[in-house]
Amino acid sequence: MGGMTSDGGPEGGPGGGAILFDDIGLLYTADPEREEIGGAALIVEDGVVAWVGPSSSAPRPGTGGRAVPAADRRVGLGGRAVIPGFVDSHAHLVFAGDRTAEFAARMAGRPYSAGGIRTTVAATREAADDTLATNAEALVAEMLAQGTTTVEIKSGYGLTVEDERRSLEIAGRFTAETTYLGAHVVPPGVTADDYVSTVTGPMLDACAPYARWVDVFCERGAFDEDQSREILAAGIRAGLGARIHAGQLGEGPGVRVACELGAASADHCTHLTDADVAALADSGVVATLLPGAEFSTRSPYPDARRLLDAGVSVALATDCNPGSSFTSSMPFCVALAVREMRMSPQEAVRAATAGGARALRRSDVGVLRVGARADLAVLSAPSYVHLAYRPGVPLVAQVWKDGRRVV
Ligand code: NIG
Ligand code: FE
Protein backbone atom coordinates (compact mmCIF):
# COMPACT_ATOMS: atom_id res chain seq x y z
CA MET A 1 0.00 0.00 0.00
CA GLY A 2 1.95 2.96 -1.20
CA GLY A 3 1.65 6.68 -1.05
CA MET A 4 0.31 9.08 1.49
CA THR A 5 -3.44 9.14 1.92
CA SER A 6 -5.80 10.90 4.25
CA ASP A 7 -8.16 8.89 6.42
CA GLY A 8 -10.74 6.80 4.64
CA GLY A 9 -13.53 4.62 6.04
CA PRO A 10 -13.31 1.26 7.77
CA GLU A 11 -11.27 -1.22 5.82
CA GLY A 12 -10.75 -4.96 5.74
CA GLY A 13 -7.48 -6.68 4.98
CA PRO A 14 -4.09 -6.08 6.49
CA GLY A 15 -2.63 -2.70 5.64
CA GLY A 16 0.95 -2.94 4.46
CA GLY A 17 3.63 -0.70 5.88
CA ALA A 18 3.61 1.82 8.65
CA ILE A 19 0.84 4.35 9.29
CA LEU A 20 1.42 7.83 10.64
CA PHE A 21 -1.49 9.22 12.68
CA ASP A 22 -0.78 12.89 12.39
CA ASP A 23 -2.19 16.19 13.59
CA ILE A 24 -3.66 14.71 16.81
CA GLY A 25 -4.97 17.62 18.89
CA LEU A 26 -4.43 15.84 22.22
CA LEU A 27 -3.11 12.32 22.56
CA TYR A 28 -3.96 10.60 25.82
CA THR A 29 -1.52 7.68 26.08
CA ALA A 30 -2.31 6.33 29.58
CA ASP A 31 1.45 5.80 29.84
CA PRO A 32 2.59 7.30 33.16
CA GLU A 33 5.90 8.29 31.53
CA ARG A 34 4.10 10.71 29.20
CA GLU A 35 0.40 10.61 29.84
CA GLU A 36 -0.76 13.39 27.50
CA ILE A 37 0.85 14.95 24.45
CA GLY A 38 -0.60 18.00 22.73
CA GLY A 39 -0.02 18.34 18.96
CA ALA A 40 0.95 14.68 18.73
CA ALA A 41 1.62 11.97 16.20
CA LEU A 42 1.76 8.21 16.46
CA ILE A 43 3.23 5.60 14.12
CA VAL A 44 1.82 2.11 13.90
CA GLU A 45 3.56 -0.81 12.25
CA ASP A 46 2.51 -4.45 12.13
CA GLY A 47 -0.42 -3.75 14.42
CA VAL A 48 1.63 -2.27 17.24
CA VAL A 49 2.68 1.23 18.23
CA ALA A 50 6.14 1.97 16.79
CA TRP A 51 6.55 5.63 17.76
CA VAL A 52 4.72 8.26 19.89
CA GLY A 53 5.62 11.92 20.24
CA PRO A 54 5.09 15.48 19.14
CA SER A 55 3.99 15.78 15.56
CA SER A 56 6.92 18.11 14.85
CA SER A 57 9.47 15.36 15.51
CA ALA A 58 7.70 12.43 13.83
CA PRO A 59 9.92 10.47 11.44
CA ARG A 60 8.83 11.27 7.89
CA PRO A 61 9.86 9.94 4.49
CA GLY A 62 13.32 11.10 3.56
CA THR A 63 14.47 11.58 7.14
CA GLY A 64 16.06 8.06 7.02
CA GLY A 65 18.61 6.49 9.28
CA ARG A 66 16.28 6.05 12.27
CA ALA A 67 15.09 2.99 14.14
CA VAL A 68 11.52 4.06 13.49
CA PRO A 69 10.08 3.59 10.02
CA ALA A 70 8.95 6.65 8.13
CA ALA A 71 5.28 5.92 7.50
CA ASP A 72 3.96 4.69 4.18
CA ARG A 73 0.53 6.20 4.86
CA ARG A 74 -0.59 9.29 6.67
CA VAL A 75 -3.90 9.54 8.52
CA GLY A 76 -4.52 13.22 9.23
CA LEU A 77 -6.75 13.71 12.24
CA GLY A 78 -7.39 17.44 11.95
CA GLY A 79 -6.77 18.23 15.61
CA ARG A 80 -9.02 15.51 17.01
CA ALA A 81 -8.16 13.71 20.24
CA VAL A 82 -6.93 10.11 20.38
CA ILE A 83 -7.17 7.72 23.33
CA PRO A 84 -6.31 4.05 23.77
CA GLY A 85 -9.24 1.76 22.98
CA PHE A 86 -11.26 1.25 26.15
CA VAL A 87 -10.68 -1.96 28.12
CA ASP A 88 -14.05 -3.04 29.52
CA SER A 89 -12.99 -5.55 32.15
CA HIS A 90 -16.43 -6.59 33.41
CA ALA A 91 -19.35 -7.59 31.19
CA HIS A 92 -22.01 -10.30 31.10
CA LEU A 93 -22.86 -10.59 27.39
CA VAL A 94 -23.98 -14.20 26.95
CA PHE A 95 -27.70 -14.25 27.72
CA ALA A 96 -31.16 -14.23 26.22
CA GLY A 97 -34.37 -12.49 27.26
CA ASP A 98 -35.25 -9.08 28.44
CA ARG A 99 -35.81 -7.46 31.84
CA THR A 100 -37.46 -4.23 30.80
CA ALA A 101 -40.33 -4.74 33.24
CA GLU A 102 -37.91 -5.24 36.15
CA PHE A 103 -36.13 -2.00 35.23
CA ALA A 104 -39.40 -0.09 34.96
CA ALA A 105 -40.55 -1.46 38.33
CA ARG A 106 -37.24 -0.38 39.86
CA MET A 107 -37.61 3.10 38.51
CA ALA A 108 -41.06 3.12 40.17
CA GLY A 109 -39.40 2.33 43.51
CA ARG A 110 -38.81 -1.44 43.74
CA PRO A 111 -35.31 -2.31 45.01
CA TYR A 112 -32.76 -4.35 43.01
CA SER A 113 -31.97 -7.84 44.26
CA ALA A 114 -29.72 -10.64 43.08
CA GLY A 115 -32.86 -12.74 42.43
CA GLY A 116 -33.56 -11.13 39.06
CA ILE A 117 -30.63 -13.09 37.65
CA ARG A 118 -32.87 -16.20 37.64
CA THR A 119 -35.20 -14.61 35.05
CA THR A 120 -32.29 -14.35 32.62
CA VAL A 121 -31.10 -17.85 33.51
CA ALA A 122 -34.45 -19.32 32.43
CA ALA A 123 -34.38 -17.46 29.09
CA THR A 124 -30.72 -18.32 28.48
CA ARG A 125 -31.24 -22.04 29.04
CA GLU A 126 -34.09 -22.00 26.49
CA ALA A 127 -32.04 -20.18 23.84
CA ALA A 128 -30.19 -21.83 20.95
CA ASP A 129 -26.43 -21.33 20.71
CA ASP A 130 -26.94 -19.17 17.63
CA THR A 131 -29.28 -16.85 19.51
CA LEU A 132 -26.80 -16.43 22.34
CA ALA A 133 -23.95 -15.80 19.90
CA THR A 134 -25.98 -13.29 17.88
CA ASN A 135 -26.94 -11.41 21.04
CA ALA A 136 -23.35 -11.28 22.26
CA GLU A 137 -22.10 -10.25 18.84
CA ALA A 138 -24.51 -7.31 18.76
CA LEU A 139 -23.32 -6.08 22.17
CA VAL A 140 -19.66 -6.46 21.22
CA ALA A 141 -20.38 -4.42 18.08
CA GLU A 142 -22.06 -1.72 20.18
CA MET A 143 -19.01 -1.64 22.41
CA LEU A 144 -16.60 -1.40 19.50
CA ALA A 145 -18.57 1.50 18.02
CA GLN A 146 -18.13 3.28 21.36
CA GLY A 147 -14.39 2.73 21.46
CA THR A 148 -14.04 -0.53 23.40
CA THR A 149 -11.38 -2.72 21.81
CA THR A 150 -10.89 -5.23 24.65
CA VAL A 151 -13.77 -6.77 26.59
CA GLU A 152 -14.04 -9.39 29.29
CA ILE A 153 -17.10 -11.64 28.99
CA LYS A 154 -18.51 -13.78 31.81
CA SER A 155 -20.74 -16.82 31.81
CA GLY A 156 -23.23 -16.97 34.66
CA TYR A 157 -26.68 -17.17 33.10
CA GLY A 158 -26.54 -20.90 32.36
CA LEU A 159 -25.87 -22.40 35.79
CA THR A 160 -25.84 -26.00 34.56
CA VAL A 161 -22.63 -27.73 33.51
CA GLU A 162 -23.55 -27.64 29.84
CA ASP A 163 -25.10 -24.16 29.83
CA GLU A 164 -22.04 -22.67 31.52
CA ARG A 165 -19.71 -24.54 29.19
CA ARG A 166 -21.51 -23.36 26.06
CA SER A 167 -21.73 -19.80 27.43
CA LEU A 168 -17.94 -19.75 27.73
CA GLU A 169 -17.43 -21.36 24.36
CA ILE A 170 -19.58 -18.59 22.84
CA ALA A 171 -17.80 -15.87 24.86
CA GLY A 172 -14.50 -17.18 23.52
CA ARG A 173 -15.59 -16.41 19.96
CA PHE A 174 -15.37 -12.71 20.86
CA THR A 175 -12.56 -12.38 23.40
CA ALA A 176 -9.66 -14.13 25.08
CA GLU A 177 -10.82 -12.62 28.39
CA THR A 178 -13.44 -15.21 29.30
CA THR A 179 -14.63 -15.62 32.87
CA TYR A 180 -16.30 -18.61 34.47
CA LEU A 181 -19.11 -17.29 36.69
CA GLY A 182 -20.95 -20.51 37.45
CA ALA A 183 -21.22 -19.02 40.96
CA HIS A 184 -23.57 -16.20 39.98
CA VAL A 185 -26.52 -17.40 42.10
CA VAL A 186 -27.72 -20.79 43.30
CA PRO A 187 -30.19 -21.92 40.63
CA PRO A 188 -33.70 -23.03 41.62
CA GLY A 189 -34.19 -26.65 42.65
CA VAL A 190 -30.63 -27.19 43.95
CA THR A 191 -29.28 -26.80 47.48
CA ALA A 192 -26.46 -24.33 47.99
CA ASP A 193 -24.09 -27.07 49.18
CA ASP A 194 -24.79 -29.27 46.18
CA TYR A 195 -24.40 -26.33 43.83
CA VAL A 196 -21.03 -25.29 45.28
CA SER A 197 -19.88 -28.92 44.83
CA THR A 198 -20.93 -28.78 41.18
CA VAL A 199 -19.31 -25.37 40.60
CA THR A 200 -16.02 -26.56 42.10
CA GLY A 201 -16.24 -30.03 40.51
CA PRO A 202 -17.79 -31.12 37.21
CA MET A 203 -18.78 -27.61 36.11
CA LEU A 204 -15.26 -26.31 36.66
CA ASP A 205 -13.81 -29.29 34.77
CA ALA A 206 -16.10 -28.57 31.82
CA CYS A 207 -15.55 -24.81 31.87
CA ALA A 208 -11.87 -24.35 32.70
CA PRO A 209 -10.69 -25.18 29.16
CA TYR A 210 -12.76 -22.25 27.87
CA ALA A 211 -11.99 -19.73 30.62
CA ARG A 212 -9.12 -17.49 31.63
CA TRP A 213 -10.73 -16.31 34.87
CA VAL A 214 -12.98 -17.50 37.68
CA ASP A 215 -15.44 -15.15 39.37
CA VAL A 216 -18.02 -15.39 42.16
CA PHE A 217 -20.91 -13.14 43.18
CA CYS A 218 -20.02 -12.74 46.86
CA GLU A 219 -23.13 -11.08 48.29
CA ARG A 220 -26.14 -11.63 50.50
CA GLY A 221 -28.54 -13.70 48.38
CA ALA A 222 -25.69 -15.20 46.36
CA PHE A 223 -22.49 -16.76 47.87
CA ASP A 224 -21.03 -16.22 51.36
CA GLU A 225 -17.40 -15.89 52.42
CA ASP A 226 -16.57 -19.59 52.79
CA GLN A 227 -18.33 -20.53 49.57
CA SER A 228 -16.63 -17.71 47.68
CA ARG A 229 -13.21 -18.68 48.98
CA GLU A 230 -13.78 -22.32 48.08
CA ILE A 231 -15.01 -21.50 44.57
CA LEU A 232 -12.14 -19.13 43.74
CA ALA A 233 -9.53 -21.46 45.25
CA ALA A 234 -10.83 -24.33 43.11
CA GLY A 235 -10.63 -22.13 40.02
CA ILE A 236 -7.09 -21.09 40.87
CA ARG A 237 -6.09 -24.74 41.29
CA ALA A 238 -7.51 -25.35 37.82
CA GLY A 239 -5.21 -22.66 36.43
CA LEU A 240 -7.62 -19.72 36.30
CA GLY A 241 -7.02 -16.19 37.56
CA ALA A 242 -9.44 -14.92 40.20
CA ARG A 243 -11.79 -11.94 40.22
CA ILE A 244 -14.82 -11.33 42.39
CA HIS A 245 -18.09 -9.37 42.66
CA ALA A 246 -17.61 -7.70 46.04
CA GLY A 247 -19.57 -5.14 48.04
CA GLN A 248 -22.23 -4.39 45.41
CA LEU A 249 -25.31 -4.35 47.62
CA GLY A 250 -23.77 -4.07 51.09
CA GLU A 251 -20.51 -4.42 53.01
CA GLY A 252 -19.26 -7.98 52.96
CA PRO A 253 -16.28 -10.31 52.90
CA GLY A 254 -15.57 -10.09 49.15
CA VAL A 255 -12.60 -7.73 49.25
CA ARG A 256 -11.01 -9.72 52.07
CA VAL A 257 -11.29 -12.93 50.04
CA ALA A 258 -9.95 -11.18 46.92
CA CYS A 259 -6.87 -9.87 48.74
CA GLU A 260 -6.23 -13.15 50.51
CA LEU A 261 -6.31 -15.13 47.26
CA GLY A 262 -4.45 -12.59 45.13
CA ALA A 263 -7.37 -11.85 42.82
CA ALA A 264 -6.69 -9.51 39.92
CA SER A 265 -9.72 -7.39 40.70
CA ALA A 266 -12.55 -6.84 43.16
CA ASP A 267 -15.53 -5.49 41.25
CA HIS A 268 -18.31 -3.08 42.29
CA CYS A 269 -16.67 -1.98 45.60
CA THR A 270 -19.70 0.18 46.31
CA HIS A 271 -19.84 -0.68 50.01
CA LEU A 272 -16.40 -0.91 51.61
CA THR A 273 -15.10 -0.79 55.17
CA ASP A 274 -11.93 1.14 55.99
CA ALA A 275 -10.20 -2.23 56.36
CA ASP A 276 -11.29 -3.14 52.81
CA VAL A 277 -9.81 0.07 51.41
CA ALA A 278 -6.54 -0.50 53.27
CA ALA A 279 -6.39 -4.12 52.08
CA LEU A 280 -6.94 -3.09 48.46
CA ALA A 281 -4.19 -0.49 48.70
CA ASP A 282 -1.75 -2.97 50.29
CA SER A 283 -2.48 -5.90 48.01
CA GLY A 284 -2.58 -4.16 44.65
CA VAL A 285 -5.93 -5.80 43.86
CA VAL A 286 -7.67 -3.47 41.41
CA ALA A 287 -10.99 -1.98 42.50
CA THR A 288 -13.22 -2.07 39.43
CA LEU A 289 -16.05 0.42 39.69
CA LEU A 290 -19.23 -0.15 37.69
CA PRO A 291 -21.29 3.03 37.86
CA GLY A 292 -23.77 1.81 35.23
CA ALA A 293 -25.08 -0.52 37.94
CA GLU A 294 -25.68 2.29 40.40
CA PHE A 295 -27.26 4.39 37.67
CA SER A 296 -29.62 1.61 36.61
CA THR A 297 -30.51 0.49 40.12
CA ARG A 298 -30.75 4.08 41.41
CA SER A 299 -28.21 3.39 44.15
CA PRO A 300 -25.45 5.50 45.70
CA TYR A 301 -22.26 5.50 43.64
CA PRO A 302 -18.99 4.02 44.96
CA ASP A 303 -16.66 6.47 46.66
CA ALA A 304 -13.92 6.66 44.05
CA ARG A 305 -12.08 9.48 45.83
CA ARG A 306 -11.70 7.43 48.98
CA LEU A 307 -10.06 4.67 46.91
CA LEU A 308 -7.86 6.94 44.81
CA ASP A 309 -6.73 8.95 47.82
CA ALA A 310 -5.77 5.71 49.58
CA GLY A 311 -3.63 4.70 46.59
CA VAL A 312 -5.88 1.91 45.30
CA SER A 313 -5.69 1.07 41.56
CA VAL A 314 -9.09 1.83 40.09
CA ALA A 315 -10.70 0.53 36.89
CA LEU A 316 -13.99 1.51 35.31
CA ALA A 317 -16.15 -0.97 33.41
CA THR A 318 -19.73 -1.21 32.15
CA ASP A 319 -20.96 -4.40 33.89
CA CYS A 320 -23.09 -4.70 30.75
CA ASN A 321 -25.86 -7.16 31.68
CA PRO A 322 -29.64 -7.32 31.20
CA GLY A 323 -30.46 -6.75 34.87
CA SER A 324 -28.45 -4.22 36.77
CA SER A 325 -26.62 -2.27 34.03
CA PHE A 326 -27.76 -2.67 30.45
CA THR A 327 -25.27 -0.24 28.96
CA SER A 328 -22.41 -1.13 26.64
CA SER A 329 -21.00 2.40 26.76
CA MET A 330 -17.64 3.16 28.32
CA PRO A 331 -18.05 6.88 27.45
CA PHE A 332 -21.24 6.87 29.53
CA CYS A 333 -19.35 5.28 32.45
CA VAL A 334 -16.58 7.87 32.13
CA ALA A 335 -19.18 10.66 32.26
CA LEU A 336 -20.80 9.11 35.35
CA ALA A 337 -17.44 8.71 37.06
CA VAL A 338 -16.61 12.36 36.52
CA ARG A 339 -20.01 13.87 37.31
CA GLU A 340 -21.18 11.52 40.05
CA MET A 341 -17.99 10.07 41.55
CA ARG A 342 -15.73 13.11 41.52
CA MET A 343 -13.04 11.48 39.41
CA SER A 344 -11.16 13.94 37.23
CA PRO A 345 -11.62 13.37 33.50
CA GLN A 346 -8.03 12.12 33.34
CA GLU A 347 -8.56 9.71 36.24
CA ALA A 348 -11.74 8.40 34.63
CA VAL A 349 -10.20 7.82 31.20
CA ARG A 350 -7.12 6.27 32.83
CA ALA A 351 -9.40 3.90 34.78
CA ALA A 352 -11.30 3.00 31.60
CA THR A 353 -8.12 2.17 29.67
CA ALA A 354 -4.98 1.35 31.68
CA GLY A 355 -7.11 0.55 34.74
CA GLY A 356 -9.13 -2.05 32.88
CA ALA A 357 -5.95 -3.52 31.42
CA ARG A 358 -4.47 -3.85 34.88
CA ALA A 359 -7.66 -5.52 36.11
CA LEU A 360 -7.08 -8.10 33.36
CA ARG A 361 -3.32 -8.24 34.01
CA ARG A 362 -2.65 -7.06 30.47
CA SER A 363 0.22 -4.74 29.59
CA ASP A 364 -0.32 -4.80 25.83
CA VAL A 365 -3.66 -2.93 25.76
CA GLY A 366 -5.15 0.17 27.38
CA VAL A 367 -2.00 2.18 26.72
CA LEU A 368 -0.39 3.81 23.67
CA ARG A 369 3.31 3.24 24.15
CA VAL A 370 5.90 1.68 21.86
CA GLY A 371 5.24 -2.05 21.60
CA ALA A 372 1.61 -1.91 22.73
CA ARG A 373 -1.20 -2.99 20.45
CA ALA A 374 -2.38 -0.26 18.13
CA ASP A 375 -5.91 -0.21 19.58
CA LEU A 376 -7.16 3.34 19.62
CA ALA A 377 -10.20 5.58 19.37
CA VAL A 378 -10.30 8.90 17.55
CA LEU A 379 -12.77 11.34 19.11
CA SER A 380 -14.66 14.03 17.24
CA ALA A 381 -13.48 16.42 19.93
CA PRO A 382 -10.21 18.19 20.69
CA SER A 383 -9.78 16.51 24.09
CA TYR A 384 -10.79 13.38 25.99
CA VAL A 385 -12.38 15.73 28.54
CA HIS A 386 -15.30 16.01 26.12
CA LEU A 387 -16.27 12.42 27.01
CA ALA A 388 -17.61 13.87 30.28
CA TYR A 389 -18.22 17.44 29.14
CA ARG A 390 -20.52 16.26 26.32
CA PRO A 391 -22.33 13.32 27.91
CA GLY A 392 -24.45 11.13 25.69
CA VAL A 393 -22.96 12.53 22.49
CA PRO A 394 -21.48 9.94 20.12
CA LEU A 395 -17.94 11.29 20.06
CA VAL A 396 -16.11 8.17 18.91
CA ALA A 397 -15.37 8.94 15.25
CA GLN A 398 -12.96 6.12 14.38
CA VAL A 399 -11.80 2.92 16.06
CA TRP A 400 -8.60 1.09 15.13
CA LYS A 401 -7.76 -2.36 16.42
CA ASP A 402 -4.39 -3.99 15.87
CA GLY A 403 -3.57 -1.16 13.51
CA ARG A 404 -6.63 -1.65 11.32
CA ARG A 405 -9.60 0.61 11.12
CA VAL A 406 -12.70 -1.24 12.32
CA VAL A 407 -15.17 1.62 12.85
O1 NIG B 1 -22.70 -7.44 38.16
N1 NIG B 1 -23.89 -8.74 40.47
C1 NIG B 1 -24.06 -9.74 39.82
N2 NIG B 1 -24.20 -9.77 38.52
C2 NIG B 1 -24.62 -8.66 37.76
C3 NIG B 1 -26.09 -8.52 37.79
C4 NIG B 1 -26.71 -9.53 37.01
C5 NIG B 1 -28.17 -9.42 36.84
O2 NIG B 1 -28.92 -8.71 37.57
O3 NIG B 1 -28.60 -10.11 35.92
C6 NIG B 1 -23.92 -7.41 38.22
O4 NIG B 1 -24.52 -6.39 38.56
FE1 FE C 1 -21.29 -8.13 37.18
Side-chain angles (χ1 to χ4, degrees):
M1 204 177 287
M4 307 279 276
T5 62
S6 64
D7 57 322
E11 58 202 51
I19 306 172
L20 169 68
F21 292 84
D22 206 3
D23 199 10
I24 299 170
L26 182 63
L27 175 64
Y28 178 73
T29 67
D31 178 358
E33 299 281 301
R34 199 165 36 165
E35 201 163 351
E36 292 187 14
I37 309 172
L42 182 142
I43 294 179
V44 167
E45 192 178 35
D46 297 330
V48 302
V49 176
W51 185 91
V52 183
S55 188
S56 54
S57 50
R60 288 169 199 278
T63 55
R66 314 179 62 148
V68 178
D72 301 300
R73 290 175 61 203
R74 176 179 181 274
V75 176
L77 294 181
R80 286 178 283 185
V82 168
I83 60 173
F86 293 118
V87 180
D88 187 347
S89 60
H90 185 136
H92 308 247
L93 306 187
V94 185
F95 64 86
D98 175 276
R99 282 159 63 192
T100 307
E102 182 188 314
F103 175 76
R106 230 171 22 239
M107 293 304 107
R110 292 259 313 261
Y112 175 76
S113 85
I117 293 168
R118 294 192 183 95
T119 312
T120 303
V121 169
T124 302
R125 287 178 178 175
E126 287 291 304
D129 289 8
D130 282 355
T131 306
L132 296 178
T134 304
N135 290 350
E137 185 177 25
L139 292 168
V140 169
E142 278 182 19
M143 289 179 161
L144 196 62
Q146 295 172 93
T148 298
T149 47
T150 302
V151 60
E152 180 259 21
I153 304 180
K154 302 175 194 297
S155 67
Y157 289 118
L159 311 188
T160 64
V161 171
E162 174 51 21
D163 286 306
E164 285 297 297
R165 190 209 61 77
R166 72 177 180 134
S167 296
L168 285 161
E169 186 272 311
I170 290 165
R173 299 180 198 177
F174 305 103
T175 185
E177 302 298 341
T178 52
T179 298
Y180 168 47
L181 180 59
H184 203 179
V185 283
V186 177
V190 189
T191 68
D193 283 351
D194 284 353
Y195 192 61
V196 171
S197 301
T198 302
V199 167
T200 56
M203 192 184 278
L204 175 62
D205 294 343
C207 289
Y210 299 93
R212 173 158 190 239
W213 303 98
V214 58
D215 194 347
V216 57
F217 187 14
C218 181
E219 196 76 47
R220 229 173 318 123
F223 296 89
D224 68 17
E225 175 166 5
D226 289 345
Q227 293 166 333
S228 298
R229 185 181 287 112
E230 186 180 339
I231 289 160
L232 293 187
I236 291 167
R237 280 195 302 276
L240 307 180
R243 43 206 321 107
I244 189 167
H245 284 68
Q248 175 181 8
L249 305 177
E251 288 177 5
V255 165
R256 186 160 64 236
V257 173
C259 296
E260 178 189 316
L261 295 182
S265 178
D267 295 36
H268 286 283
C269 289
T270 309
H271 300 273
L272 298 178
T273 63
D274 288 344
D276 289 336
V277 175
L280 287 165
D282 288 348
S283 64
V285 172
V286 175
T288 299
L289 309 182
L290 308 167
E294 279 75 34
F295 179 88
S296 298
T297 59
R298 193 174 281 137
S299 307
Y301 289 94
D303 189 344
R305 286 258 57 91
R306 181 187 183 202
L307 290 163
L308 290 163
D309 294 347
V312 175
S313 296
V314 170
L316 271 177
T318 61
D319 195 15
C320 184
N321 77 77
S324 62
S325 180
F326 201 9
T327 180
S328 53
S329 175
M330 288 293 274
F332 175 62
C333 294
V334 166
L336 288 180
V338 172
R339 171 62 179 84
E340 302 293 336
M341 291 153 61
R342 294 184 299 131
M343 292 173 78
S344 71
Q346 191 190 63
E347 286 169 336
V349 175
R350 185 190 301 142
T353 54
R358 184 160 179 168
L360 294 172
R361 301 220 163 125
R362 294 276 298 268
S363 56
D364 59 330
V365 296
V367 63
L368 293 171
R369 73 160 85 83
V370 172
R373 283 175 191 251
D375 293 355
L376 55 93
V378 177
L379 306 181
S380 41
S383 159
Y384 64 82
V385 177
H386 282 226
L387 291 168
Y389 174 44
R390 306 202 64 215
V393 178
L395 294 179
V396 176
Q398 297 178 19
V399 181
W400 295 71
K401 190 164 162 55
D402 294 321
R404 288 187 214 159
R405 186 160 175 199
V406 291
V407 172

